[in-house]
Coordinates of all heavy atoms in Angstrom, one line a residue:
M1 N 72.2 -30.3 42.7 CA 71.6 -29.7 41.5 C 72.2 -28.4 41.2 O 72.5 -28.1 39.9 CB 70.2 -29.5 41.8 CG 69.3 -29.0 40.6 SD 67.5 -28.9 40.9 CE 67.5 -27.2 41.5
M2 N 72.5 -27.6 42.0 CA 73.1 -26.4 41.8 C 74.6 -26.5 41.2 O 75.0 -25.9 40.2 CB 73.2 -25.4 43.0 CG 71.8 -25.0 43.5 SD 71.7 -24.3 45.2 CE 72.9 -23.1 44.9
Y3 N 75.3 -27.4 41.8 CA 76.7 -27.7 41.3 C 76.6 -28.2 39.8 O 77.5 -27.8 39.0 CB 77.4 -28.6 42.2 CG 78.8 -29.0 41.6 CD1 79.7 -28.0 41.8 CD2 79.2 -30.2 41.2 CE1 81.0 -28.3 41.4 CE2 80.4 -30.5 40.7 CZ 81.5 -29.6 40.9 OH 82.7 -29.7 40.4
G4 N 75.6 -28.9 39.5 CA 75.5 -29.4 38.2 C 75.2 -28.3 37.2 O 75.4 -28.5 35.9
F5 N 74.7 -27.2 37.5 CA 74.4 -26.2 36.7 C 75.5 -25.0 36.8 O 75.4 -23.9 36.4 CB 73.1 -25.4 37.1 CG 71.9 -26.3 36.6 CD1 71.2 -27.0 37.4 CD2 71.6 -26.2 35.2 CE1 70.1 -27.8 36.9 CE2 70.6 -26.9 34.7 CZ 69.9 -27.8 35.5
G6 N 76.7 -25.4 37.4 CA 77.8 -24.5 37.4 C 78.2 -23.7 38.7 O 79.0 -22.9 38.7
D7 N 77.4 -24.0 39.8 CA 77.6 -23.2 41.0 C 78.8 -24.0 41.6 O 79.3 -25.0 41.3 CB 76.4 -23.3 41.8 CG 76.3 -22.4 43.0 OD1 77.2 -21.6 43.1 OD2 75.3 -22.5 43.8
D8 N 79.2 -23.3 42.7 CA 80.3 -23.7 43.5 C 79.8 -25.2 44.2 O 78.8 -25.4 44.5 CB 80.6 -22.7 44.7 CG 81.7 -23.0 45.6 OD1 82.9 -22.8 45.0 OD2 81.6 -23.4 46.7
P9 N 80.9 -26.0 44.4 CA 80.6 -27.3 45.1 C 80.0 -27.1 46.4 O 79.3 -28.0 46.9 CB 82.0 -28.0 45.1 CG 82.9 -27.2 44.2 CD 82.4 -25.8 44.1
N10 N 80.3 -26.1 47.1 CA 79.8 -25.9 48.5 C 79.1 -24.5 48.5 O 79.6 -23.5 49.0 CB 80.9 -25.9 49.5 CG 81.5 -27.2 49.5 OD1 81.0 -28.2 49.7 ND2 83.0 -27.2 49.6
P11 N 77.8 -24.5 48.1 CA 77.2 -23.2 48.0 C 76.7 -22.7 49.3 O 76.8 -23.4 50.3 CB 75.9 -23.4 47.2 CG 75.7 -25.0 47.3 CD 76.9 -25.5 47.6
L12 N 76.4 -21.3 49.4 CA 76.0 -20.8 50.7 C 74.7 -21.4 51.1 O 73.8 -21.6 50.3 CB 75.8 -19.3 50.6 CG 77.0 -18.5 50.3 CD1 76.7 -17.0 49.9 CD2 78.0 -18.5 51.4
P13 N 74.5 -21.6 52.4 CA 73.3 -22.2 53.0 C 72.1 -21.5 52.6 O 71.0 -22.0 52.2 CB 73.5 -22.3 54.5 CG 75.0 -22.2 54.7 CD 75.5 -21.5 53.4
E14 N 72.2 -20.0 52.6 CA 71.1 -19.2 52.1 C 70.7 -19.5 50.8 O 69.5 -19.4 50.4 CB 71.4 -17.7 52.3 CG 71.9 -17.3 53.8 CD 73.2 -17.6 54.2 OE1 74.0 -17.9 53.4 OE2 73.5 -17.5 55.5
T15 N 71.7 -19.7 49.9 CA 71.3 -19.9 48.4 C 70.5 -21.2 48.3 O 69.6 -21.4 47.5 CB 72.7 -19.9 47.7 OG1 73.4 -18.7 47.9 CG2 72.4 -20.0 46.1
V16 N 71.1 -22.2 49.0 CA 70.4 -23.6 48.9 C 69.0 -23.4 49.4 O 68.1 -24.0 48.8 CB 71.2 -24.5 49.8 CG1 70.5 -25.9 49.8 CG2 72.7 -24.8 49.2
T17 N 68.8 -22.7 50.5 CA 67.4 -22.6 51.0 C 66.5 -21.8 50.1 O 65.4 -22.3 49.8 CB 67.5 -21.8 52.4 OG1 68.3 -22.5 53.3 CG2 66.1 -21.6 53.0
L18 N 67.0 -20.8 49.5 CA 66.3 -20.0 48.4 C 65.9 -20.9 47.2 O 64.8 -20.9 46.9 CB 67.0 -18.8 48.0 CG 66.3 -17.9 46.9 CD1 65.1 -17.3 47.4 CD2 67.3 -16.9 46.4
V19 N 66.9 -21.6 46.7 CA 66.6 -22.5 45.6 C 65.6 -23.5 45.9 O 64.7 -23.9 45.2 CB 68.0 -23.0 45.0 CG1 67.6 -24.2 43.9 CG2 68.8 -21.9 44.4
E20 N 65.7 -24.1 47.1 CA 64.8 -25.1 47.6 C 63.4 -24.6 47.6 O 62.4 -25.3 47.2 CB 65.3 -25.7 48.9 CG 64.3 -26.8 49.4 CD 64.7 -27.3 50.8 OE1 65.7 -26.8 51.4 OE2 64.1 -28.3 51.3
E21 N 63.2 -23.4 48.2 CA 61.9 -22.8 48.3 C 61.3 -22.5 47.0 O 60.0 -22.8 46.7 CB 62.0 -21.5 49.0 CG 62.3 -21.6 50.6 CD 62.5 -20.3 51.2 OE1 62.4 -19.3 50.5 OE2 62.8 -20.3 52.4
I22 N 62.1 -22.1 46.0 CA 61.6 -21.9 44.7 C 61.1 -23.2 43.9 O 60.1 -23.2 43.4 CB 62.6 -21.1 43.7 CG1 62.9 -19.6 44.3 CG2 62.2 -21.2 42.2 CD1 64.1 -19.0 43.7
V23 N 61.9 -24.1 44.1 CA 61.7 -25.4 43.5 C 60.4 -26.1 44.2 O 59.5 -26.6 43.5 CB 62.8 -26.4 43.7 CG1 62.4 -27.8 43.2 CG2 63.9 -26.0 42.7
V24 N 60.3 -26.1 45.5 CA 59.2 -26.6 46.2 C 57.9 -25.8 45.8 O 56.9 -26.5 45.6 CB 59.4 -26.6 47.7 CG1 58.0 -26.8 48.5 CG2 60.5 -27.6 48.1
E25 N 58.0 -24.5 45.7 CA 56.7 -23.8 45.4 C 56.4 -24.1 43.8 O 55.2 -24.3 43.6 CB 57.2 -22.3 45.4 CG 56.0 -21.3 45.0 CD 56.3 -19.9 45.1 OE1 57.2 -19.5 45.7 OE2 55.6 -19.1 44.4
Y26 N 57.3 -24.1 42.9 CA 57.0 -24.6 41.6 C 56.4 -25.9 41.4 O 55.3 -26.1 40.8 CB 58.3 -24.5 40.8 CG 58.0 -25.1 39.3 CD1 57.4 -24.2 38.4 CD2 58.4 -26.3 38.9 CE1 57.2 -24.6 37.2 CE2 58.1 -26.7 37.6 CZ 57.6 -25.8 36.7 OH 57.4 -26.3 35.5
V27 N 57.0 -26.9 42.1 CA 56.4 -28.2 42.1 C 55.0 -28.3 42.7 O 54.2 -29.1 42.2 CB 57.4 -29.3 42.7 CG1 56.7 -30.6 42.8 CG2 58.6 -29.4 42.0
T28 N 54.8 -27.7 43.8 CA 53.5 -27.5 44.5 C 52.5 -27.0 43.5 O 51.3 -27.5 43.4 CB 53.7 -26.9 45.9 OG1 54.6 -27.5 46.7 CG2 52.3 -26.9 46.6
D29 N 52.8 -25.9 43.0 CA 51.9 -25.2 42.1 C 51.6 -26.0 40.9 O 50.4 -26.2 40.6 CB 52.6 -23.9 41.7 CG 51.6 -23.0 40.8 OD1 50.3 -22.9 41.2 OD2 52.0 -22.5 39.7
L30 N 52.6 -26.7 40.3 CA 52.3 -27.5 39.2 C 51.4 -28.7 39.6 O 50.5 -29.0 38.8 CB 53.8 -28.0 38.7 CG 53.6 -28.9 37.2 CD1 53.3 -27.7 36.2 CD2 55.0 -29.4 37.0
A31 N 51.7 -29.4 40.7 CA 50.8 -30.5 41.2 C 49.4 -30.0 41.5 O 48.3 -30.8 41.0 CB 51.5 -31.1 42.4
H32 N 49.2 -28.8 42.1 CA 47.8 -28.3 42.2 C 47.0 -28.0 40.9 O 45.9 -28.4 40.8 CB 47.8 -27.0 43.1 CG 48.1 -27.4 44.4 ND1 49.0 -26.5 45.3 CD2 47.7 -28.3 45.3 CE1 49.0 -26.9 46.6 NE2 48.3 -28.1 46.6
K33 N 47.8 -27.4 39.9 CA 47.2 -27.2 38.7 C 46.9 -28.5 38.0 O 45.7 -28.6 37.4 CB 48.1 -26.4 37.8 CG 48.2 -25.0 38.2 CD 49.2 -24.2 37.3 CE 49.3 -22.7 37.8 NZ 50.3 -22.0 37.0
A34 N 47.8 -29.6 37.9 CA 47.5 -30.8 37.3 C 46.2 -31.5 38.1 O 45.4 -32.1 37.3 CB 48.7 -31.6 37.5
Q35 N 46.2 -31.3 39.3 CA 45.2 -31.9 40.2 C 43.8 -31.3 39.7 O 42.7 -32.0 39.5 CB 45.3 -31.7 41.6 CG 44.2 -32.5 42.4 CD 44.7 -32.4 43.9 OE1 45.4 -31.5 44.3 NE2 44.1 -33.3 44.7
D36 N 43.7 -29.9 39.5 CA 42.6 -29.2 39.0 C 42.1 -29.7 37.7 O 40.9 -30.0 37.4 CB 42.8 -27.7 38.9 CG 42.9 -27.0 40.3 OD1 42.5 -27.7 41.3 OD2 43.5 -26.0 40.3
I37 N 43.1 -30.0 36.7 CA 42.8 -30.5 35.3 C 42.2 -32.0 35.5 O 41.4 -32.3 34.9 CB 44.0 -30.4 34.5 CG1 44.5 -29.0 34.3 CG2 43.8 -31.3 33.2 CD1 45.7 -28.8 33.5
G38 N 42.9 -32.8 36.5 CA 42.6 -34.2 36.5 C 41.3 -34.4 37.3 O 40.6 -35.3 37.1
S39 N 40.8 -33.4 38.1 CA 39.7 -33.6 38.9 C 38.4 -33.5 37.9 O 37.3 -34.1 38.3 CB 39.5 -32.4 39.9 OG 39.4 -31.2 39.3
K40 N 38.5 -33.0 36.8 CA 37.5 -33.0 35.8 C 37.2 -34.3 35.2 O 36.1 -34.7 34.9 CB 37.7 -32.0 34.6 CG 37.9 -30.6 35.1 CD 38.3 -29.7 34.0 CE 38.6 -28.4 34.4 NZ 39.2 -27.4 33.5
R41 N 38.2 -35.2 35.2 CA 38.0 -36.6 34.8 C 37.9 -37.5 35.9 O 37.6 -38.7 35.8 CB 39.2 -37.0 33.9 CG 39.2 -36.4 32.5 CD 40.4 -37.2 31.7 NE 41.6 -37.5 32.5 CZ 42.6 -36.6 32.6 NH1 42.6 -35.5 31.9 NH2 43.7 -37.0 33.3
G42 N 38.2 -37.0 37.2 CA 38.2 -37.9 38.4 C 39.4 -38.5 38.8 O 39.5 -39.2 39.8
K43 N 40.5 -38.3 38.0 CA 41.7 -38.9 38.4 C 43.0 -38.1 37.9 O 42.8 -37.4 36.8 CB 41.9 -40.4 38.1 CG 42.1 -40.5 36.5 CD 42.1 -42.1 36.3 CE 42.4 -42.3 34.9 NZ 42.8 -43.6 34.5
L44 N 44.0 -38.1 38.5 CA 45.3 -37.4 38.1 C 46.1 -38.4 37.2 O 46.4 -39.5 37.6 CB 46.0 -36.9 39.3 CG 47.3 -36.1 39.1 CD1 46.9 -34.8 38.5 CD2 48.1 -35.8 40.4
S45 N 46.6 -37.8 36.1 CA 47.5 -38.7 35.3 C 48.8 -38.0 34.8 O 48.8 -36.7 35.0 CB 46.7 -39.2 34.1 OG 46.4 -38.1 33.1
V46 N 49.6 -38.6 34.2 CA 50.8 -38.0 33.6 C 50.5 -37.0 32.5 O 51.1 -35.9 32.4 CB 51.8 -39.3 33.1 CG1 52.9 -38.5 32.3 CG2 52.2 -40.1 34.2
E47 N 49.4 -37.3 31.8 CA 49.1 -36.4 30.7 C 48.8 -35.0 31.3 O 48.8 -34.0 30.6 CB 47.9 -37.0 29.9 CG 48.2 -38.1 29.0 CD 48.6 -39.5 29.7 OE1 48.0 -39.6 30.9 OE2 49.4 -40.2 29.2
D48 N 48.2 -35.0 32.5 CA 47.8 -33.7 33.1 C 49.1 -32.8 33.2 O 49.1 -31.6 33.0 CB 47.2 -33.9 34.5 CG 45.8 -34.7 34.4 OD1 45.1 -34.5 33.4 OD2 45.5 -35.4 35.3
F49 N 50.2 -33.6 33.7 CA 51.4 -32.7 33.9 C 52.0 -32.3 32.6 O 52.5 -31.1 32.2 CB 52.5 -33.5 34.6 CG 52.2 -33.7 36.1 CD1 51.4 -34.8 36.6 CD2 52.4 -32.7 37.0 CE1 51.1 -34.9 37.9 CE2 52.2 -32.8 38.3 CZ 51.5 -33.8 38.7
L50 N 51.9 -33.3 31.5 CA 52.4 -32.9 30.1 C 51.7 -31.8 29.5 O 52.2 -30.9 28.8 CB 52.4 -34.2 29.3 CG 53.2 -35.3 29.7 CD1 52.9 -36.6 28.8 CD2 54.7 -34.9 29.7
F51 N 50.3 -31.7 29.9 CA 49.5 -30.7 29.3 C 50.0 -29.3 29.8 O 50.1 -28.4 29.2 CB 48.1 -30.9 29.7 CG 47.2 -29.8 29.3 CD1 46.8 -29.7 27.9 CD2 46.7 -28.9 30.1 CE1 45.9 -28.6 27.5 CE2 45.8 -27.8 29.7 CZ 45.4 -27.7 28.5
L52 N 50.3 -29.3 31.1 CA 50.7 -28.0 31.8 C 52.2 -27.5 31.2 O 52.3 -26.3 31.2 CB 50.9 -28.2 33.3 CG 49.5 -28.3 34.0 CD1 49.7 -28.8 35.4 CD2 48.7 -27.0 33.9
I53 N 52.9 -28.5 30.9 CA 54.2 -28.0 30.3 C 54.5 -27.9 28.9 O 55.5 -27.8 28.3 CB 55.4 -28.8 31.1 CG1 55.3 -30.3 30.6 CG2 55.5 -28.6 32.6 CD1 56.5 -31.1 31.1
R54 N 53.3 -28.2 28.2 CA 53.3 -28.3 26.8 C 54.0 -27.1 26.1 O 54.5 -27.3 24.9 CB 51.9 -28.5 26.2 CG 51.0 -27.3 26.3 CD 49.7 -27.6 26.0 NE 48.8 -26.4 26.0 CZ 48.3 -25.7 27.1 NH1 48.5 -26.3 28.2 NH2 47.5 -24.7 27.0
K55 N 54.0 -26.0 26.6 CA 54.6 -24.9 25.9 C 56.0 -24.6 26.3 O 56.7 -23.7 25.7 CB 53.8 -23.5 26.2 CG 52.4 -23.6 25.7 CD 51.7 -22.4 26.1 CE 50.2 -22.5 25.5 NZ 49.4 -21.3 25.9
D56 N 56.5 -25.3 27.3 CA 57.9 -25.3 27.7 C 58.6 -26.5 27.0 O 58.7 -27.6 27.6 CB 58.0 -25.3 29.2 CG 59.5 -24.9 29.6 OD1 60.5 -25.0 28.7 OD2 59.6 -24.7 30.9
L57 N 59.1 -26.3 25.8 CA 59.6 -27.5 25.0 C 60.8 -28.2 25.7 O 60.9 -29.4 25.6 CB 60.0 -27.1 23.6 CG 58.9 -26.7 22.7 CD1 59.3 -26.3 21.3 CD2 57.9 -27.9 22.7
P58 N 61.8 -27.5 26.2 CA 62.9 -28.3 26.8 C 62.3 -29.2 28.1 O 62.8 -30.3 28.2 CB 63.8 -27.1 27.5 CG 63.6 -26.1 26.7 CD 62.1 -26.0 26.3
K59 N 61.5 -28.8 28.8 CA 60.8 -29.5 30.0 C 60.0 -30.6 29.4 O 60.1 -31.8 29.8 CB 59.9 -28.7 30.8 CG 60.7 -27.8 31.8 CD 59.8 -27.0 32.7 CE 60.5 -26.0 33.5 NZ 59.6 -25.0 34.1
L60 N 59.3 -30.3 28.3 CA 58.4 -31.4 27.7 C 59.2 -32.5 27.0 O 58.9 -33.7 27.3 CB 57.4 -30.7 26.6 CG 56.5 -31.6 26.0 CD1 55.5 -32.3 27.0 CD2 55.8 -30.9 24.8
N61 N 60.2 -32.0 26.4 CA 61.2 -33.2 25.7 C 61.8 -34.0 26.7 O 62.0 -35.2 26.7 CB 62.2 -32.4 24.7 CG 61.5 -31.8 23.5 OD1 60.5 -32.3 23.1 ND2 62.2 -30.8 23.1
R62 N 62.4 -33.3 27.8 CA 63.0 -34.0 28.9 C 61.9 -35.1 29.6 O 62.3 -36.2 29.8 CB 63.5 -33.1 30.0 CG 64.3 -33.8 31.1 CD 65.5 -34.6 30.6 NE 66.2 -35.2 31.8 CZ 67.0 -36.2 31.8 NH1 67.1 -36.9 30.6 NH2 67.4 -36.7 32.8
C63 N 60.8 -34.7 29.9 CA 59.7 -35.5 30.4 C 59.5 -36.7 29.5 O 59.2 -37.9 30.0 CB 58.5 -34.8 30.7 SG 58.5 -33.7 32.2
M64 N 59.3 -36.4 28.2 CA 59.0 -37.5 27.2 C 60.2 -38.5 27.2 O 60.0 -39.7 27.0 CB 58.8 -36.9 25.9 CG 57.5 -36.0 25.8 SD 56.0 -36.8 26.3 CE 55.7 -37.9 24.9
E65 N 61.4 -38.0 27.3 CA 62.5 -38.8 27.3 C 62.6 -39.7 28.6 O 62.8 -40.9 28.4 CB 63.8 -37.9 27.1 CG 65.2 -38.7 27.2 CD 66.4 -37.9 27.4 OE1 66.3 -36.6 27.3 OE2 67.5 -38.4 27.4
L66 N 62.3 -39.1 29.6 CA 62.3 -39.9 30.9 C 61.2 -40.9 30.9 O 61.3 -42.0 31.4 CB 62.1 -39.0 32.1 CG 63.4 -38.1 32.4 CD1 63.1 -37.0 33.6 CD2 64.6 -39.0 32.8
L67 N 60.0 -40.5 30.4 CA 58.9 -41.4 30.3 C 59.2 -42.6 29.3 O 58.9 -43.8 29.6 CB 57.5 -40.8 29.8 CG 57.0 -39.8 30.9 CD1 55.9 -39.1 30.3 CD2 56.5 -40.7 32.0
S68 N 59.9 -42.3 28.2 CA 60.3 -43.4 27.3 C 61.4 -44.3 28.0 O 61.3 -45.5 27.7 CB 61.0 -42.7 26.0 OG 61.5 -43.6 25.2
M69 N 62.3 -43.8 28.8 CA 63.3 -44.5 29.4 C 62.6 -45.5 30.4 O 62.9 -46.7 30.5 CB 64.3 -43.8 30.0 CG 65.4 -43.1 28.9 SD 66.8 -42.4 29.8 CE 66.2 -41.2 30.8
Q70 N 61.6 -44.9 31.1 CA 60.9 -45.7 32.1 C 60.1 -47.0 31.4 O 60.2 -48.0 32.0 CB 59.8 -44.8 32.9 CG 59.0 -45.5 33.8 CD 58.0 -44.7 34.4 OE1 57.6 -43.7 33.9 NE2 57.4 -45.1 35.5
E71 N 59.5 -46.6 30.3 CA 58.8 -47.8 29.6 C 59.9 -48.8 29.1 O 59.7 -50.0 29.2 CB 58.1 -47.2 28.3 CG 57.2 -48.2 27.6 CD 56.2 -48.8 28.6 OE1 55.7 -48.0 29.5 OE2 55.8 -50.0 28.3
E72 N 61.1 -48.3 28.6 CA 62.1 -49.3 28.2 C 62.6 -50.2 29.3 O 62.7 -51.4 29.2 CB 63.4 -48.5 27.6 CG 63.0 -47.9 26.1 CD 64.3 -47.1 25.7 OE1 65.4 -47.3 26.1 OE2 64.0 -46.1 24.9
R73 N 62.7 -49.6 30.5 CA 63.2 -50.3 31.7 C 62.0 -51.3 32.1 O 62.4 -52.4 32.5 CB 63.4 -49.4 32.8 CG 64.8 -48.5 32.6 CD 65.1 -47.7 33.9 NE 65.1 -48.6 34.9 CZ 65.0 -48.0 36.2 NH1 64.7 -46.8 36.5 NH2 65.2 -48.7 37.2
K74 N 60.8 -50.9 32.1 CA 59.8 -51.8 32.3 C 59.7 -53.0 31.4 O 59.5 -54.1 31.8 CB 58.4 -51.0 32.2 CG 57.2 -51.8 32.7 CD 55.9 -51.1 32.5 CE 55.7 -49.9 33.2 NZ 54.4 -49.3 33.0
Q75 N 59.9 -52.7 30.1 CA 60.0 -53.8 29.2 C 61.2 -54.8 29.3 O 61.1 -56.0 29.3 CB 59.9 -53.3 27.7 CG 58.6 -52.5 27.3 CD 57.5 -53.3 27.4 OE1 57.5 -54.5 27.1 NE2 56.3 -52.8 27.9
A76 N 62.3 -54.2 29.6 CA 63.6 -54.9 29.8 C 63.4 -55.8 31.1 O 63.7 -57.0 31.1 CB 64.7 -54.0 30.1
R77 N 62.8 -55.2 32.2 CA 62.6 -56.2 33.4 C 61.5 -57.2 33.0 O 61.7 -58.4 33.6 CB 61.9 -55.3 34.4 CG 62.9 -54.4 35.2 CD 62.2 -53.8 36.4 NE 63.2 -52.8 37.1 CZ 62.8 -51.6 37.3 NH1 61.7 -51.1 37.1 NH2 63.9 -50.8 37.9
K78 N 60.5 -56.9 32.2 CA 59.6 -57.9 31.8 C 60.3 -59.0 31.1 O 59.9 -60.2 31.2 CB 58.4 -57.3 31.0 CG 57.2 -58.2 31.0 CD 56.0 -57.4 30.3 CE 55.5 -56.4 31.2 NZ 54.2 -55.9 30.5
A79 N 61.2 -58.7 30.3 CA 61.9 -59.7 29.4 C 62.8 -60.7 30.2 O 62.8 -61.8 29.9 CB 62.7 -59.0 28.4
F80 N 63.3 -60.1 31.3 CA 64.1 -60.9 32.3 C 63.4 -61.6 33.4 O 64.0 -62.2 34.3 CB 65.3 -60.1 32.7 CG 66.3 -59.9 31.5 CD1 66.3 -58.6 31.0 CD2 67.2 -60.8 31.1 CE1 67.2 -58.4 30.0 CE2 68.0 -60.6 30.2 CZ 68.1 -59.4 29.5
E81 N 62.1 -61.3 33.5 CA 61.4 -61.9 34.6 C 61.4 -63.3 34.5 O 61.1 -64.0 33.4 CB 59.9 -61.3 34.5 CG 59.4 -61.0 35.9 CD 58.0 -60.2 35.7 OE1 57.1 -60.8 35.1 OE2 57.9 -59.1 36.1
V82 N 61.6 -64.0 35.6 CA 61.5 -65.5 35.6 C 60.1 -66.0 36.1 O 59.7 -65.6 37.2 CB 62.8 -66.1 36.5 CG1 62.6 -67.5 36.6 CG2 64.0 -65.5 36.0
D83 N 59.5 -66.8 35.3 CA 58.3 -67.3 35.7 C 58.6 -68.5 36.4 O 59.0 -69.6 35.9 CB 57.4 -67.5 34.5 CG 55.9 -68.0 34.9 OD1 55.7 -67.9 36.0 OD2 55.1 -68.2 34.0
E84 N 58.3 -68.6 37.8 CA 58.5 -69.8 38.7 C 57.8 -71.0 38.1 O 58.3 -72.1 38.1 CB 58.1 -69.4 40.0 CG 58.8 -68.2 40.7 CD 60.2 -68.5 41.0 OE1 60.6 -69.7 41.2 OE2 61.0 -67.6 40.9
D85 N 56.5 -70.9 37.7 CA 55.8 -72.0 37.2 C 56.4 -72.7 35.9 O 56.6 -73.9 35.8 CB 54.3 -71.8 36.9 CG 53.5 -71.3 38.1 OD1 54.0 -71.8 39.2 OD2 52.6 -70.4 38.1
K86 N 56.9 -71.8 35.0 CA 57.4 -72.3 33.7 C 58.9 -73.1 34.1 O 59.1 -74.1 33.5 CB 57.7 -71.2 32.8 CG 56.5 -70.6 32.0 CD 56.8 -69.6 31.1 CE 55.5 -69.0 30.4 NZ 55.9 -68.0 29.6
L87 N 59.5 -72.5 35.0 CA 60.8 -73.2 35.4 C 60.5 -74.5 36.1 O 61.4 -75.6 35.9 CB 61.7 -72.3 36.4 CG 62.3 -71.1 35.7 CD1 63.1 -70.3 36.8 CD2 63.4 -71.6 34.7
A88 N 59.5 -74.7 36.9 CA 59.2 -75.8 37.6 C 58.8 -76.9 36.6 O 59.1 -78.2 36.7 CB 58.1 -75.7 38.6
T89 N 58.2 -76.6 35.5 CA 57.6 -77.5 34.5 C 58.8 -78.0 33.6 O 58.9 -79.1 33.0 CB 56.5 -77.0 33.5 OG1 57.0 -75.8 32.9 CG2 55.3 -76.8 34.4
L90 N 59.9 -77.1 33.4 CA 60.9 -77.4 32.6 C 61.9 -78.4 33.3 O 62.5 -79.2 32.7 CB 61.8 -76.1 32.3 CG 61.1 -75.2 31.3 CD1 61.9 -74.0 31.1 CD2 60.9 -75.8 30.0
E91 N 61.9 -78.4 34.6 CA 62.8 -79.3 35.4 C 62.1 -80.7 35.3 O 62.0 -81.6 35.2 CB 63.1 -78.8 36.8 CG 63.8 -77.6 36.8 CD 63.9 -76.9 38.2 OE1 63.3 -77.5 39.1 OE2 64.5 -76.0 38.3

């Protein structure tokens, strides 16, 4: 991840540890906040996370893009799914 953002291919172990701690803390905090929001409805959903990042447009746009790609992949898999019963009746 760090190399992708322009760091050295072999960063210092201390730097890797620091970035990992920051990321883990951020993700944990985000998950706890989303859980607090979701507990009002009784379940946690993707919308809870989207609500939390609604003011951070780059993150929100990337999440929406990834969710869209996930849906496209799901539809593509469904289109190529082979129904065993239909194949048996065709033969």
Side-chain angles (χ1 to χ4, degrees):
M1 182 173 95
M2 293 170 55
Y3 181 67
F5 284 102
D7 198 6
D8 189 70
N10 299 312
L12 294 173
E14 295 86 8
T15 307
V16 173
T17 303
L18 177 64
V19 170
E20 181 181 4
E21 288 174 4
I22 292 169
V23 170
V24 168
E25 182 181 337
Y26 174 77
V27 171
T28 303
D29 185 48
L30 191 68
H32 284 139
K33 288 179 181 177
Q35 189 174 14
D36 290 342
I37 293 169
S39 67
K40 295 174 185 169
R41 286 192 320 271
K43 65 178 186 173
L44 185 62
S45 70
V46 173
E47 286 75 24
D48 298 328
F49 289 96
L50 294 176
F51 176 77
L52 288 173
I53 62 169
R54 70 190 182 280
K55 294 181 181 176
D56 190 345
L57 290 180
K59 285 181 192 166
L60 182 62
N61 289 334
R62 180 66 176 150
C63 284
M64 296 303 288
E65 179 184 355
L66 291 171
L67 289 170
S68 173
M69 286 191 305
Q70 179 185 17
E71 188 61 33
E72 287 176 25
R73 288 182 60 203
K74 187 188 297 183
Q75 296 300 324
R77 281 192 188 127
K78 198 178 281 188
F80 287 104
E81 220 172 59
V82 177
D83 189 1
E84 301 288 334
D85 295 331
K86 287 182 181 179
L87 284 177
T89 59
L90 291 176
E91 296 175 354

